[in-house]
Amino acid sequence: MADLERKAKEAFIDDHFELAVDLYTQAIALNPTNPDLFADRAQANIKLNNFTEAVADASRAIALDASLAKAYLRKGIACMKLEEYQTAKAALEVGASLAPGESRFTNLIKECDECIAEETGGSKNHAADAPVNTVSIEDVEPEDTSSQAPMVIPSKPKYRHEFYQKPEEVVVSIFAKGVQASWISVDFGEQILSVRIEVPGEDGYHFQPRLFGKIIPDKCKYNILSTKVEFRLAKAEPGLHWASLEYNKETAVVQRIAVSSEIVQKPTYSSSKPKRVDWDKIEAQVKKEEKEEKLDGDAALNKFFREIYQDADEDTRRAMKKSFVESNGTVLSTNWKEVGTKKVEGSPPDGMEMRKWEY
């Protein structure tokens, strides 16, 4: 492990940052409880502009050793690059308390204050003008210290996730069954959702996307259910439509233009000008007409089954799928306890052809 760490440092010094990340990753696999390895990999990830990965590495280093000042420094720098100024400032202030008199913390905290003021309209200085890169990203020879906190190295994601949104919030679900509260740690940033699930005896799971839009951390919350963990993210800009869960610069710009002109500004017109089309009202009317649409025959049956499936819980959906498939479309059950432990035999009605349905 010492040889890998030495080679990683040499690669970093020679500006071979990708090689440095790879070597640090190998060293971490051999010693997953060494906080310096995570802090140094964060440093290399910053050089590669892998800022979310750098935040994750720095956070892991802090979890292993809460007194490691350089981990707070690197988390602060990475968060500033992500325009997470409040989160960056909080990390830098802790680091400054651990390293009194260190000018890098003082300078970066000042830049965070300027960027925060600019965001709230209190300063004319732009965040891009802040000379973050003029501050040395720590020394490249980290001290040889180690903590023996029992942590599990994260592996590739093993849980499925999905999201939907409302005008004022985004709801994210991670489908992890039977998760206990003590196994999960959650951190809400200004534009980051960081979730770590550590199931005893299994590889750890880490989910940390840079979100499409900013959120209000103090108003965010999560709930652990039997089949999933649900996160409710309060939008910092209510009404802004997220084109995706994760940040994408091009779609973010397009969506902001559309929202600012149609939702946020809400211009009014005098009687002499054309009236705006109320698309929300039209959409609501269409949904009402669809709901009230009268169908008969197979169409009505299909619609009925689709509505049951759409509103059903996971066990009910599993029962419907299993019974329908195993009976060749002749039986449809919503009772998982009844069909989950045995094969469903087909039983078409006498003299009738069983109608198939879509879901």
Side-chain angles (χ1 to χ4, degrees):
M1 193 278 291
D3 186 52
L4 284 172
E5 186 175 5
R6 176 182 58 79
K7 290 180 179 179
K9 293 175 183 178
E10 292 174 354
F12 185 91
I13 293 172
D14 293 336
D15 292 342
H16 299 314
F17 304 122
E18 290 184 359
L19 177 59
V21 168
D22 182 61
L23 290 170
Y24 278 125
T25 300
Q26 294 179 47
I28 287 171
L30 297 175
N31 188 2
T33 59
N34 188 333
D36 290 281
L37 294 176
F38 286 99
D40 295 339
R41 190 172 68 176
Q43 182 185 34
N45 271 318
I46 289 172
K47 287 291 189 180
L48 291 171
N49 294 331
N50 297 334
F51 302 124
T52 55
E53 290 84 349
V55 172
D57 280 341
S59 297
R60 173 53 68 90
I62 292 168
L64 290 167
D65 183 0
S67 64
L68 194 62
K70 65 183 178 184
Y72 293 97
L73 178 65
R74 288 160 190 172
K75 181 175 182 179
I77 291 173
C79 286
M80 289 182 71
K81 291 291 189 178
L82 293 170
E83 299 182 2
E84 294 264 346
Y85 302 118
Q86 295 284 3
T87 306
K89 182 180 178 182
L92 293 168
E93 287 177 339
V94 175
S97 69
L98 296 171
E102 175 56 68
S103 61
R104 285 171 294 186
F105 287 109
T106 304
N107 293 337
L108 290 173
I109 291 172
K110 181 179 179 181
E111 290 171 17
C112 282
D113 286 334
E114 292 174 354
C115 293
I116 292 170
E118 189 273 338
E119 279 190 334
T120 57
S123 172
K124 295 182 179 180
N125 296 327
H126 193 275
D129 296 328
V132 175
N133 291 330
T134 63
V135 179
S136 173
I137 307 178
E138 254 278 63
D139 54 288
V140 297
E141 292 290 339
E143 299 175 1
D144 186 16
T145 59
S146 177
S147 172
Q148 298 302 315
M151 299 292 286
V152 180
I153 186 171
S155 64
K156 62 180 180 180
K158 59 181 179 180
Y159 301 124
R160 178 174 63 89
H161 71 271
E162 65 181 26
F163 84 104
Y164 67 91
Q165 61 185 301
K166 301 177 181 179
E168 71 285 353
E169 69 176 359
V170 174
V171 181
V172 181
S173 296
I174 296 179
F175 294 90
K177 292 184 179 181
V179 172
Q180 296 183 16
S182 60
W183 299 348
I184 185 170
S185 58
V186 181
D187 184 23
F188 298 108
E190 294 170 72
Q191 202 168 346
I192 288 179
L193 166 65
S194 181
V195 181
R196 188 177 297 279
I197 301 176
E198 302 283 355
V199 180
E202 298 182 10
D203 290 337
Y205 167 81
H206 187 216
F207 178 65
Q208 181 174 283
R210 184 184 182 192
L211 301 171
F212 181 89
K214 291 196 173 186
I215 59 176
I216 305 173
D218 291 342
K219 294 185 178 181
C220 297
K221 57 186 178 181
Y222 69 96
N223 188 25
I224 301 175
L225 306 174
S226 60
T227 59
K228 64 183 179 179
V229 184
E230 186 176 81
F231 305 85
R232 294 189 172 273
L233 311 179
K235 292 181 178 179
E237 299 178 67
L240 175 65
H241 177 76
W242 289 19
S244 61
L245 178 62
E246 298 192 34
Y247 175 82
N248 180 293
K249 185 174 182 180
E250 293 183 1
T251 56
V253 171
V254 172
Q255 291 297 321
R256 285 180 185 280
I257 293 175
V259 171
S260 63
S261 62
E262 295 295 330
I263 297 178
V264 178
Q265 293 181 2
K266 292 188 178 298
T268 56
Y269 300 92
S270 64
S271 58
S272 62
K273 294 183 179 180
K275 293 185 178 180
R276 284 181 55 196
V277 177
D278 191 339
W279 294 110
D280 290 338
K281 183 176 181 180
I282 292 176
E283 181 182 3
Q285 182 63 31
V286 170
K287 289 182 178 180
K288 181 180 179 182
E289 292 175 357
E290 289 178 349
K291 186 175 182 180
E292 295 176 350
E293 181 182 8
K294 296 186 180 298
L295 302 174
D296 54 19
D298 288 345
L301 186 62
N302 286 338
K303 182 173 183 294
F304 173 68
F305 287 143
R306 283 197 300 270
E307 290 176 349
I308 293 177
Y309 187 83
Q310 180 178 352
D311 298 332
D313 58 27
E314 184 175 350
D315 283 345
T316 300
R317 291 186 178 188
R318 290 167 62 195
M320 294 174 76
K321 287 182 179 179
K322 185 174 185 295
S323 61
F324 184 80
V325 172
E326 292 182 352
S327 68
N328 294 319
T330 63
V331 174
L332 183 66
S333 173
T334 59
N335 189 338
W336 177 249
K337 292 183 179 179
E338 178 182 298
V339 303
T341 58
K342 63 181 180 180
K343 183 176 180 180
V344 180
E345 301 294 339
S347 56
D350 294 337
M352 294 182 64
E353 180 184 0
M354 187 66 176
R355 296 187 180 97
K356 294 186 178 181
W357 61 284
E358 302 171 355
Y359 61 88

